[in-house]
Amino acid sequence: MAPHLEDWRGRYRGAAIAVVRPANTAEVSAVVRACAEAGVAMVPQGGNTSLCGAATPAADGQAVLISVSRLNSVRAIDPANNTMTVDAGCVLQTLQDAAAQAGRLFPLSLAAEGSCQIGGNLSTNAGGVQVLRYGNTRELTLGLEVVLPNGDVWNGLRGLRKDNTGYDLKQLFIGAEGTLGIITAAVVKLFPLPRATATAWLAIDSPALAVRLLADLQASFGALLTACELVSDVALGLVRKHLPASPAAVSASPWHLLIEVSGGDGDDARRQALEVFLAEALDSGAISDAVLAQSGEQAQRLWALRENIGEAQKIEGLSIKHDISLPISRIPEFIERADQQLVQAFPDIRIVTFGHIGDGNLHYNQSKAAAGENGAFIAAQPAVNRIVYELVHKLGGSISAEHGIGQLKRDELLRYKSPVEIEMMRAIKRTLDPQGLMNPGKVL
């Protein structure tokens, strides 16, 4: 049971009556029905990679933990309809590989893709590095199968892009973090495999230049711009320190951009087009240096610099993490003002900033450079949160961009959601889960 009872970050540990591992939807339904009849709480769990404690049971040990990891079949692929029907326990990378074998792309991509499961991705409306072009998990989903809190099964596995027959019920469960039911299967969108990809790492002086370059890239490449990732030198330094085998050779710089352009006639043509753009950016002073990948292996090494930041932070030790979104135009202002306020309030603070600037999502994390000081620093999380979240709210942003609420941000939600929104959410919860047994203590 132990691996199921602690979250990936090691911040939450709970207890459970039992861990139950059903193998199909009928068994999930039977387990849920038995729990509902006995009045026993249930905690759904996929790959257990939640970053907000959404899949960790409470410490009282009064819940049954329901793992969907054995529901791991790719049920069907329809290349002509560009859809794939999958069980909730399928690991994300399995979906990517299955789509590729059918000559298609499933574009959801994030650092945990080798262990996270699509049911959890759906339950948190996961984002990742290609939201700029393809959207969040919500935009990639056409239908769901869900076991409701009383054990009933709703089969909404429809591969339709147009279905205007009333409320779009699947949207209730995407992003609900298992509080309204257990997703057991989904129909997801597929796309043609890009024929060409070009990847580059840019050295830049400031987030303001990153926003300017994003606009220039969109003007030049339009929908072909797949990813635009912002990385601070502090974040890159942690990767170099803890994962020295992975980094590619890139120039020292206060800030960095990782960009990817995909689609078109061929890799050479796509690289040449990006090379022309980079030459112009160098001439104008928008960038100080650039590395343009000349092969798929080089591109993977550049991506490793970005994707290993989370793992490097975990090795470094505890930190206070914020997954926030802002209007892209306000990101430079947020970073400048938040950095200034945090440094003033907490001398010797280390701020690790990176994220998906193309869709306005920053990962904005704080710790002390001396690992021994972080135990005391973590106790200051409410004060740190207040500085960060108040500014996010003031600038029209959100306190959770892609990680969800879980138990980490449950109380913060009450502060930043209007009473009307909270009551609407509670009304939905009461209607679908009147006993309050489904993942209690999460979100609401």
Side-chain angles (χ1 to χ4, degrees):
M1 289 174 65
H4 296 275
L5 301 179
E6 185 173 17
D7 76 314
W8 181 80
R9 283 180 171 165
R11 292 203 64 184
Y12 296 101
R13 182 167 182 80
I17 296 170
V19 173
V20 184
R21 301 180 63 237
N24 53 53
T25 301
E27 290 185 359
V28 175
S29 173
V31 171
V32 171
R33 194 175 301 278
C35 288
E37 290 174 354
V40 172
M42 294 159 273
V43 177
Q45 188 178 93
N48 197 23
T49 60
S50 169
L51 299 177
C52 294
T56 306
D60 61 12
Q62 298 302 303
V64 166
L65 192 148
I66 303 175
S67 168
V68 299
S69 59
R70 292 177 66 212
L71 281 73
N72 56 12
S73 298
V74 175
R75 297 189 186 182
I77 298 178
D78 186 344
N81 194 43
N82 278 314
T83 55
M84 177 164 56
T85 304
V86 296
D87 284 345
C90 283
V91 172
L92 175 55
Q93 192 167 9
T94 300
L95 271 68
Q96 297 168 345
D97 293 344
Q101 289 170 12
R104 296 293 185 269
L105 170 72
F106 182 62
L108 183 64
S109 179
L110 48 145
E113 60 194 28
S115 54
C116 66
Q117 297 170 13
I118 189 63
N121 300 145
L122 289 156
S123 293
T124 56
N125 187 28
V129 296
Q130 298 195 85
V131 170
L132 172 61
R133 180 165 179 178
Y134 297 102
N136 290 335
T137 310
R138 188 181 301 279
E139 283 74 45
L140 299 174
T141 307
L142 294 174
L144 292 181
E145 178 185 79
V146 181
V147 175
L148 300 176
N150 64 357
D152 288 348
V153 178
W154 170 55
N155 186 343
L157 293 174
R158 291 183 282 273
L160 302 174
R161 287 162 178 82
K162 288 186 174 181
D163 182 6
N164 200 7
T165 53
Y167 303 134
D168 191 357
L169 296 176
K170 68 178 180 291
Q171 301 297 353
L172 289 175
F173 302 97
I174 301 173
E177 302 183 48
T179 61
L180 301 178
I182 301 178
I183 296 172
T184 51
V187 180
V188 297
K189 296 179 185 177
L190 302 180
F191 299 83
L193 275 172
R195 294 193 300 273
T197 301
T199 306
W201 186 279
L202 317 182
I204 60 175
D205 287 338
S206 69
L209 279 172
V211 171
R212 170 185 155 187
L213 282 163
L214 172 62
D216 292 344
L217 284 161
Q218 290 173 321
S220 296
F221 297 101
L224 298 181
L225 181 63
T226 306
C228 187
E229 299 287 299
L230 179 69
V231 178
S232 71
D233 191 53
V234 176
L236 181 60
L238 291 179
V239 177
R240 292 189 183 282
K241 175 181 177 182
H242 293 293
L243 300 162
S246 64
V250 297
S251 297
S253 179
W255 293 90
H256 308 264
L257 269 189
L258 175 61
I259 60 174
E260 185 172 275
V261 178
S262 63
D265 297 329
D267 285 349
D268 290 342
R270 187 53 49 220
R271 273 198 298 270
Q272 289 170 8
L274 186 52
E275 190 171 7
V276 170
F277 176 90
L278 296 177
E280 294 175 351
L282 280 165
D283 289 342
S284 70
I287 64 177
S288 58
D289 197 8
V291 176
L292 179 59
Q294 299 300 311
S295 66
E297 181 184 355
Q298 289 181 356
Q300 289 175 358
R301 289 178 68 83
L302 292 175
W303 271 107
L305 294 175
R306 163 64 183 87
E307 292 177 339
N308 285 332
I309 295 173
E311 183 65 26
Q313 286 187 108
K314 184 178 181 182
I315 296 170
E316 179 74 5
L318 291 174
S319 61
I320 298 173
K321 299 181 183 294
H322 301 98
D323 161 51
I324 57 176
S325 64
L326 294 145
I328 295 169
S329 58
R330 309 302 294 271
I331 286 177
E333 179 185 359
F334 168 81
I335 292 174
E336 180 180 359
R337 292 175 61 181
D339 281 8
Q340 183 179 34
Q341 291 178 38
L342 287 168
V343 169
Q344 184 176 358
F346 303 97
D348 302 320
I349 195 172
R350 176 175 56 194
I351 302 174
V352 178
T353 306
F354 63 102
H356 323 295
I357 194 170
D359 56 54
N361 177 193
L362 285 183
H363 301 300
Y364 189 70
N365 306 330
Q366 295 79 36
S367 64
K368 290 297 186 77
E373 298 179 18
N374 279 325
F377 178 65
I378 293 297
Q381 179 159 352
V384 175
N385 286 352
R386 200 59 49 238
I387 291 173
V388 174
Y389 292 152
E390 287 296 320
L391 185 55
V392 166
H393 187 64
K394 187 178 296 183
L395 297 179
S398 168
I399 65 169
S400 181
E402 62 179 2
H403 292 168
I405 298 299
Q407 49 190 309
L408 177 66
K409 300 181 182 180
R410 182 186 60 205
D411 295 334
E412 299 287 359
L413 195 68
L414 295 173
R415 180 185 291 267
Y416 296 106
K417 283 279 192 185
S418 72
V420 171
E421 288 177 290
I422 293 294
E423 179 49 35
M424 289 169 67
M425 292 170 66
R426 291 191 187 281
I428 294 169
K429 172 74 169 172
R430 287 193 299 267
T431 299
L432 292 178
D433 183 21
Q435 296 188 79
L437 298 179
M438 194 60 67
N439 212 7
K442 316 297 170 49
V443 185
L444 294 169

